[in-house]
Amino acid sequence: MTPEAGLAAEYADEHALVAAIRALRARGIGPMEAYSPIPSHAIDKALGEPRSPLAIAAGIGAIAGAGGAYALQWLLVAYLYPVDTGGRPPHMPLPFTIITIEMGFLFAALATFVAFLVASRLVTLWHPMFEVPGFESATRDGWWLAVGTVDTTAEDVLRATEPLHVHRFGGWS
Amino acid sequence: MTALAQVHDDLFERMRARPGRHWWLAFGACGGATLLLFALIAYTIATGIGVWGTNIPAAWAFAIINFVFWIGIGHAGTFISAILYLLEQGRWRNPISRLTETMTVFAVIQAALFPVLHLGRPWFAYWLFPYPDVMGVWPQPRSALPWDAAAVSTYFTVSVLFWYVGMIPDLAALRDHAASPRARRLYALFAIGWRGDSRSWRHWKVTYLMLASIATPLVISVHSVVSSDFAIGVTPGWHSTLQPPYFVGGAIFSGFAMVLVLAIPVRFLYRLDHVITDHILDNCAKLLLATAWVVDYGYIVEHAGALWRGEPAERSLMLGHHPASVAFWTMIACNVVVPQVFWLRRARRSTLVLFVGSLLVLLGMWLERYVIIVQGLLRDQLPAAWGSYAPTLVDIGILAGTFGFFGLLFLVFLRFVPFVPVSELKEELA
């Protein structure tokens, strides 16, 4: 769960951020989300995030695209409008294969892309984190943590992890 | 300042430098050629393709030569960005991957113009796609043209997605560090709200990997499908199972030449010698040499095949007098002789030799398509149907115009989009 409001803290580097996530998780504080300029396995592990299941979307897209393309070719040229060219059968699996394979690739890619946008909650042009002062460093060299609570114990634990600075954001700013 | 910030500031500062005199000169030249292209396209559509040199028997001439040429250019881009990514060659792949992906997208745009214009009635191009129509007649997948439509539109779509997904984190960086509010709003639109949260990064990594895996077979399949347009015909010099590997090898060969033609000036103009290093150019030259041998092997098999198959039309075309002998021997010089210079380390390390050599390879590969397409059509099995072919000024103008249009798109891209994948270089640092 990505917090929409709560406390945001910036850390000097990846190690400090990972240590902070571990400390907060040990106290059962959450929900949490980390923001980083580059992808990081250490952060994913500390947050306990499962592997992204997007490969499944690609598989479904590929099967649907390829199956649909073959069925459509059969429907259009073998069933609805069969043409006799030099005695060749209207249903010819070999030439049908080419468009079938291409559409498998195409729909696998489209399905992956759409699943990526949905799973990452993208095409959200505004987010409460954008209002946090200094948050633009997240795309340069800043390591940020957002915690979905303003509870004083949580804030104390967060401040004990030695962040560079802490801000309230979202509904609590 | 952290190492990440150093890389970030250095690259963005260089990429956002105001364009110099070179850029404006190139922009003017390419802009002029683009206007010429659009004027000639308008003239062709208004008058009909009789203004081209295309005739019977040479019904496939400049349009299809240029189509195959430009589609081929794109292949090295996908090879570098997708195949080298899967092979974990990041150290020499990452700095040039965005440039080459861009090259792919813009080259496919040029390629797509030609089959559509060659239709003669381009306003009916959508007939190639199976849409619910009232005519009751649909595209015929037992013929090669719908294969091309499927292969090229898939290639273009996947290339654009791969290009864009890779760019999202860099667009977000431009949004966050934009100089003016207007630029920030514009980049914010294209960055679609990227925040760099761990959830997005996890999905982004898998998406990028999946798109690379999907693009990889496309490198092989697209030009194989294009070559099947030839291989399934009985025209001399076309009807051979050699075509798919020969075309794919040639495509990657010409594409690497175009990569060098683009990367060398970019490296010079934006002072990126420490990013696009000599080592990277050296590797590109090695791959140019390797793919040159794939193409050269194709030439050998093509001619040996004519000898052992014993088909008279093919034998007289391949082993007798070539109707396009000047083009043929120039092609041999450019594609067989010139690349051999890259056996020498000194040649691979000299940007001038690389640049000139690559231009010659591009010329050679364009001529190869000219030789394959025009010669076979002019000398088919029935001597009574033999003919001759010469391009018109409109043909030449359209070809020159696509180079201008390609250059124009590329220059605009250099100006407004992060052409070095900064986030990937930062990741490498970590």
Side-chain angles (χ1 to χ4, degrees):
Chain A
M1 252 293 286
T2 310
E4 297 287 319
L7 296 166
E10 186 181 7
Y11 292 87
D13 55 28
E14 188 183 3
H15 300 294
L17 174 59
V18 170
I21 295 170
R22 291 221 177 93
L24 287 159
R25 276 194 65 165
R27 300 287 296 268
I29 297 165
M32 275 190 287
E33 182 61 280
Y35 299 85
S36 57
I38 53 173
S40 159
H41 276 302
I43 292 175
D44 290 345
K45 239 175 85 183
L47 283 171
E49 301 272 13
R51 253 188 84 79
S52 165
L54 285 194
I56 298 169
I60 294 171
I63 292 167
Y70 196 97
L72 186 67
Q73 292 178 81
W74 175 83
L75 177 75
L76 296 183
V77 306
Y79 183 74
L80 290 178
Y81 200 92
V83 183
D84 185 346
T85 46
R88 293 180 191 87
H91 178 208
M92 285 174 78
L94 194 57
F96 284 12
T97 309
I98 294 171
I99 293 178
T100 302
I101 292 174
E102 293 293 342
M103 290 303 112
F105 291 142
L106 178 64
F107 281 87
L110 290 173
T112 313
F113 182 66
V114 172
F116 163 64
L117 295 184
V118 173
S120 311
R121 311 276 196 280
L122 281 177
V123 205
T124 316
L125 293 189
W126 181 83
H127 188 272
M129 279 301 278
F130 287 143
E131 305 292 332
V132 175
F135 182 65
E136 62 276 3
S137 73
T139 52
R140 182 167 171 257
D141 66 338
W143 302 81
W144 286 80
L145 183 65
V147 189
T149 173
V150 283
D151 186 67
T152 41
T153 23
E155 188 164 348
D156 291 343
V157 177
L158 185 69
R159 287 195 187 275
T161 58
E162 295 179 357
L164 300 175
H165 42 106
V166 178
H167 304 275
R168 289 187 167 202
F169 75 100
W172 283 308
S173 60
Chain B
M1 193 160 45
T2 62
L4 286 179
Q6 258 170 13
V7 171
H8 179 100
D9 294 350
D10 174 55
L11 289 174
F12 276 116
E13 196 181 312
R14 280 167 204 276
M15 289 194 284
R16 284 192 297 185
R18 292 201 69 77
R21 204 158 43 94
H22 293 100
W23 189 92
W24 283 109
L25 278 174
F27 185 81
C30 291
T34 307
L35 288 178
L36 175 75
L37 172 71
F38 288 137
L40 290 176
I41 287 177
Y43 177 56
T44 302
I45 293 175
T47 321
I49 62 166
V51 299
W52 295 354
T54 312
N55 60 27
I56 298 297
W60 281 20
F62 256 50
I64 309 300
I65 298 166
N66 298 339
F67 164 70
V68 178
F69 175 78
W70 278 114
I71 280 280
I73 295 295
H75 281 59
T78 320
F79 184 91
I80 290 177
S81 56
I83 296 186
L84 295 184
Y85 179 76
L86 295 182
L87 296 176
E88 299 189 344
Q89 297 290 312
R91 277 197 49 217
W92 76 275
R93 170 238 180 230
N94 288 348
I96 52 169
S97 64
R98 181 81 39 80
L99 276 180
T100 59
E101 283 162 25
T102 309
M103 176 188 85
T104 300
V105 171
F106 293 163
V108 177
I109 291 174
Q110 311 308 321
L113 286 174
F114 288 104
V116 173
L117 289 175
H118 193 238
L119 292 172
R121 292 185 292 169
W123 50 94
F124 290 133
Y126 63 92
W127 284 6
L128 284 168
F129 296 96
Y131 65 101
D133 69 15
V134 290
M135 297 185 290
V137 185
W138 283 279
Q140 177 54 269
R142 293 181 301 169
S143 140
L145 198 52
W147 303 349
D148 264 354
V152 174
S153 50
T154 297
Y155 188 45
F156 182 69
T157 313
V158 173
S159 299
V160 168
L161 288 180
F162 192 47
W163 183 58
Y164 178 62
V165 167
M167 210 148 52
I168 293 173
D170 288 342
L171 290 170
L174 278 176
R175 170 199 66 199
D176 291 345
H177 306 280
S180 69
R182 217 176 57 183
R184 188 170 67 240
R185 268 197 287 274
L186 189 68
Y187 286 120
L189 212 56
F190 286 102
I192 56 173
W194 178 266
R195 301 176 287 282
D197 49 313
S198 67
R199 177 219 301 264
S200 302
W201 274 124
R202 276 187 305 122
H203 294 311
W204 183 87
K205 285 291 268 185
V206 173
T207 304
Y208 201 65
L209 182 70
M210 291 314 298
L211 289 177
S213 318
I214 294 164
T216 294
L218 287 181
V219 176
I220 311 294
S221 83
V222 176
H223 233 50
S224 297
V225 170
V226 170
S227 78
S228 302
D229 301 352
F230 296 86
I232 62 163
V234 293
T235 308
W238 292 11
H239 190 57
S240 165
T241 50
L242 167 70
Q243 303 297 10
Y246 177 40
F247 269 53
V248 173
I252 299 175
F253 178 50
S254 61
F256 267 106
M258 189 60 108
V259 168
L260 287 167
V261 166
L262 296 175
I264 291 171
V266 166
R267 167 181 128 124
F268 172 71
L269 288 178
Y270 289 86
R271 293 176 289 113
L272 286 167
D273 298 43
H274 62 302
V275 180
I276 304 174
T277 57
D278 286 345
H279 174 66
I280 292 173
L281 300 182
D282 187 305
N283 278 349
C284 288
K286 280 179 187 160
L287 272 164
L288 196 67
L289 180 61
T291 44
W293 277 104
V294 176
V295 173
D296 297 351
Y297 173 77
Y299 295 152
I300 297 168
V301 173
E302 195 178 42
H303 288 82
L307 193 65
W308 73 59
R309 267 201 293 269
E311 211 253 308
E314 194 184 359
R315 183 178 289 186
S316 76
L317 178 72
M318 290 290 175
L319 309 173
H321 179 69
H322 288 273
S325 61
V326 177
F328 177 80
W329 290 109
T330 315
M331 165 192 99
I332 294 289
C334 292
N335 293 353
V336 180
V337 181
V338 169
Q340 306 313 324
V341 75
F342 296 126
W343 286 105
L344 302 174
R345 191 185 145 84
R346 269 184 58 198
R348 295 198 304 269
R349 295 270 166 169
S350 154
T351 45
L352 183 68
V353 174
L354 278 173
F355 190 75
V356 175
S358 300
L359 284 177
L360 289 173
V361 166
L362 285 176
L363 171 69
M365 282 309 296
W366 188 88
L367 288 171
E368 178 189 304
R369 278 64 177 253
Y370 181 89
V371 168
I372 294 174
I373 290 168
V374 172
Q375 285 206 136
L377 291 169
L378 294 183
R379 294 285 181 274
D380 75 358
Q381 288 84 348
L382 193 66
W386 287 5
S388 62
Y389 171 75
T392 62
L393 282 177
V394 178
D395 279 315
I396 295 166
I398 288 181
L399 173 61
T402 52
F403 278 97
F405 189 29
F406 176 75
L408 185 78
L409 290 171
F410 199 77
L411 288 165
V412 172
F413 161 79
L414 287 181
R415 183 79 186 86
F416 294 107
V417 184
F419 58 85
V420 174
V422 180
S423 71
E424 280 179 78
L425 292 187
K426 283 200 278 192
E427 192 184 343
E428 208 175 286
L429 198 74

